[in-house]
Amino acid sequence: MNPFFSRIMALTAGDRQADRVVPPTGFTVKLTVFTSAAMAFLAVFALALSMATGRLADRWSDALARTATVRISAPEGQMQAQTDAVLNVLSTTPGVSEARVLTDEEQRALLTPWFGPDLPIDSLPLPQLIELTEDSNGYDAEGLRLRLSAEAPGAVLDDHTRWRRPLVRAAGRLRTLGWISILLIGLTTAAMITLSANAALAANAKLIRVLRLVGARDVYIARAFVRRFTGRALQGAAVGTICGMIAVALLPGEDSAGGFLTGLGFKGFGWIIPLFIPPLAGFVAFWATRAAALRVLKEIN
Amino acid sequence: MIELDKVAHSYGGGELLSDITLRLAHGSFHFLTGPSGAGKTTLLKLCYGDLMPSAGHVRLFEQDVRNMSRDEVARIRRRIGVVHQDCQFLDHLSLAENVMLPLVVAGKDPAEEEQNLADLLGWVGLAKQAHSLPPELSGGERQRAALARAVIMSPDVIIADEPTGNVDWDMSLRILQLLVELNKMGKTILIATHDLNLIRAAKAQVAARVLRIKDRRVQLAGADL
C-alpha cells in the first residue's frame, strides 16, 4: 500500500490513546458535522445537475446533428411534384444516407402539443416535411440548399444548427456552472473546517503547550486534531450524501413531454459517482486541519 | 549534558540574565537559588529548550539549541524530565494517564509499561490515587505526580522548578528524598528553590552544589549556607 493510503487507513482505524488526549468538545462537533452534511447534500445536487446537463448536451448534439428537415411549401397542385424533385435531389446528394417523407399522422403528432388533438389537419395548407439522416461523412448544407432552390423553389433546408447551437451551448454552460459549484462547495468545506479547527486549536492552547513540554512532536499533536476533524467531516458528508441521493431519487421521473427539467438525476453507473463525495470531504478535511494545526503549532514553543 | 556559554536572556525590556556560563556534568546535583523574580525559572527554561538565549550558546547533549528543529527539541525533552512549578497536567486525564503522557506522545505502547507505571506510582506513594483527576489531588500529591511524569521516560537529566513550593516540610523532605535517590541512580539533577533548609537537608546526603542568581549573573555559592 502506498504511504498516503496507509496513513488514511491508520487515521480511520484511530488511536484510542491519542484520541483521549484531546478533550471532546460538544457543540462545535455538531456544527462541523452539520455543515459538512449540508455541503455534501448541495454537492449531490450540483453533481446531478452537471451530469444531467452533460447528458442533455450530448443528446442534443448527437440526435439533432445527425438529422435535418426539408420543408416544402407549395401550392396544392405542385406539392407532389416538388416532393418528388426533393427526394430525387436528396437521393443523389453525397452524405445523405436516408430521406423519408413524414406521413400525415407524424405531422399531426408533431402539431398536437401546439394546437390540440382536434386539429382538422386535412383542411390546413400544411407544408410537407422530409426528414433526412446524415451518414458519418456529413453533407454540404450550402450546396444542397443551392440545388434545392434550383429543383424545388418551395423547399427549405433546416439543418437544426440554429436550434442546436444555443441549446448545446446553454447545456455546456450549465454543466460548467455545476462543476464550479462543486469546486466552490469543496473550497467552502475546506474554509469551514479550517475555521473550526482553528477554534479547537485556540481552545486547546494549554493542552498543546503541555504536550510540547512532555516531548510531543508537532505531527503527533496535529494528528490528534486531524483525526477528529476528518472523522467528523466523513460522518457529516456521508449523511448529507445519502440524504441528497434519496432526494434526487425521489424527483419525478423523466417523461417525453417534460423535456430537460425532469431529466435531473443520475443514470445507471452515475449513481456511484456521488458516493465519492464523503471520501473527498474527508480528504479536504484532512489537509485543511493538518495545514491549520501545523501553522498554529509553529507559534507555540 | 547541559552547557551554557556566555548566555543572556531578555524579555523585551532589559536583560534578566547576562553572561551566564554553566556546565551541568553527568551525575551532578545542583541547586539554583535566588530571590523571587531573579530569573530562576527563566534559567531552567533555557536548560530545556523552552526559551532561546538572546546571546551566547546553550548546548543540550552537545547540540546547540539554536540549530535544533522543532522535532529535535521534542526529542531532547524526552531526555530531560521537568517538574514544572505549576505541574502542567491535563485536567481531563487521570493521574496515571498524565504520568504516562510522555510515553504516549513518544509513540510507546502504554500497555507494555503497566508494571513500570505501577512501580513508579508506588515509589512516589500515589498508587491509590492512580485514577483520580489532577484537580482532586493535594499540592504535595500533584508535585509527586509531576516528579513521576518527569522520570517515566528514564531521562538523563531531571530539572525541578520549586518542587516543594506549596507543600509542608515533611512532604518537602520526601520529594527531596526521591530526587536524591534519582541522583544516586546516576541522573543529573537541577533544582530551583528558595528554601535554604531544603538545601541544607540535601547537603547532608549528596554532594550538592549551589548556584545563586545575583545581579543577573550566576555565582557558585560558598559552603556558608
Side-chain angles (χ1 to χ4, degrees), chain A:
Chain A
M1 220 180 325
N2 75 42
F4 176 72
F5 237 57
S6 52
R7 224 160 67 204
I8 295 281
M9 293 303 287
L11 268 178
T12 43
D15 176 345
R16 212 179 51 79
Q17 199 66 37
D19 285 342
R20 292 261 304 128
V21 167
V22 182
T25 41
F27 188 58
T28 43
V29 179
K30 285 181 197 138
L31 280 182
T32 314
V33 174
F34 169 76
T35 322
S36 169
M39 287 296 162
F41 190 82
L42 294 177
V44 172
F45 277 97
L47 198 61
L49 178 76
S50 299
M51 292 178 64
T53 48
R55 275 201 309 276
L56 203 64
D58 290 347
R59 203 163 58 210
W60 280 339
S61 43
D62 231 43
L64 294 177
R66 303 274 295 286
T67 62
T69 313
V70 178
R71 191 178 74 241
I72 307 162
S73 308
E76 190 72 22
Q78 290 176 33
M79 188 61 100
Q80 194 54 48
Q82 291 214 13
T83 306
D84 291 342
V86 169
L87 284 175
N88 191 36
V89 169
L90 290 177
S91 65
T92 57
T93 305
V96 175
S97 66
E98 194 193 332
R100 192 173 63 83
V101 179
L102 262 61
T103 63
D104 282 351
E105 286 71 36
E106 283 174 310
Q107 299 217 44
R108 204 199 308 262
L110 282 175
L111 289 171
T112 308
W114 309 97
F115 294 111
D118 304 324
L119 183 71
I121 200 164
D122 305 327
S123 64
L124 286 175
L126 285 181
Q128 178 63 55
L129 296 180
I130 297 173
E131 188 187 72
L132 65 93
T133 309
E134 272 178 48
D135 65 16
S136 53
N137 297 321
Y139 60 92
D140 169 19
E142 262 336 286
L144 182 59
R145 273 201 189 95
L146 286 172
R147 287 182 63 201
L148 283 174
S149 63
E151 304 277 334
V156 176
L157 173 70
D158 178 2
D159 62 2
H160 301 168
T161 329
R162 215 151 40 90
W163 303 98
R164 197 175 71 223
R165 280 214 184 113
L167 285 176
V168 169
R169 205 180 317 137
R173 287 277 162 78
L174 224 59
R175 172 162 48 177
T176 313
L177 278 180
W179 286 116
I180 290 175
S181 307
I182 290 170
L183 185 72
L184 286 176
I185 288 169
L187 292 175
T188 310
T189 308
M192 176 273 296
I193 297 272
T194 304
L195 287 174
S196 78
N198 272 338
L201 290 160
N204 287 298
K206 181 187 177 243
L207 168 127
I208 293 172
R209 169 105 184 103
V210 171
L211 290 178
R212 280 294 299 174
L213 282 177
V214 299
R217 291 162 64 217
D218 285 349
V219 283
Y220 177 87
I221 302 170
R223 216 151 40 207
F225 287 92
V226 164
R227 189 160 30 233
R228 188 159 289 196
F229 278 93
T230 307
R232 289 173 194 174
L234 266 175
Q235 275 171 32
V239 172
T241 302
I242 289 168
C243 291
M245 286 172 74
I246 291 172
V248 168
L250 292 180
L251 280 176
E254 197 170 0
D255 70 20
S256 52
F260 58 92
L261 258 184
T262 51
L264 200 62
F266 302 104
K267 287 267 174 314
F269 286 116
W271 282 101
I272 294 173
I273 294 176
L275 297 179
F276 287 100
I277 291 174
L280 211 64
F283 178 81
V284 166
F286 176 88
W287 287 109
T289 319
R290 193 181 153 87
L294 292 179
R295 198 170 50 236
V296 168
L297 281 166
K298 287 233 153 50
E299 283 153 27
I300 294 176
N301 250 333

Side-chain angles (χ1 to χ4, degrees), chain B residues 7 41 44-45 47-48 59 63 87 91 98 100 121 131-132 143 145 152 162 169 178 180 188 199 203-204 209:
Chain B
V7 165
T41 300
L44 294 187
K45 283 184 173 178
C47 292
Y48 58 86
R59 272 184 288 274
Q63 233 186 323
C87 294
D91 289 345
N98 265 293
M100 293 283 252
L121 288 181
H131 299 291
S132 311
Q143 291 291 358
I152 189 131
E162 302 280 5
W169 178 241
L178 295 172
V180 168
T188 307
I199 298 176
K203 282 201 154 189
R209 302 182 134 210

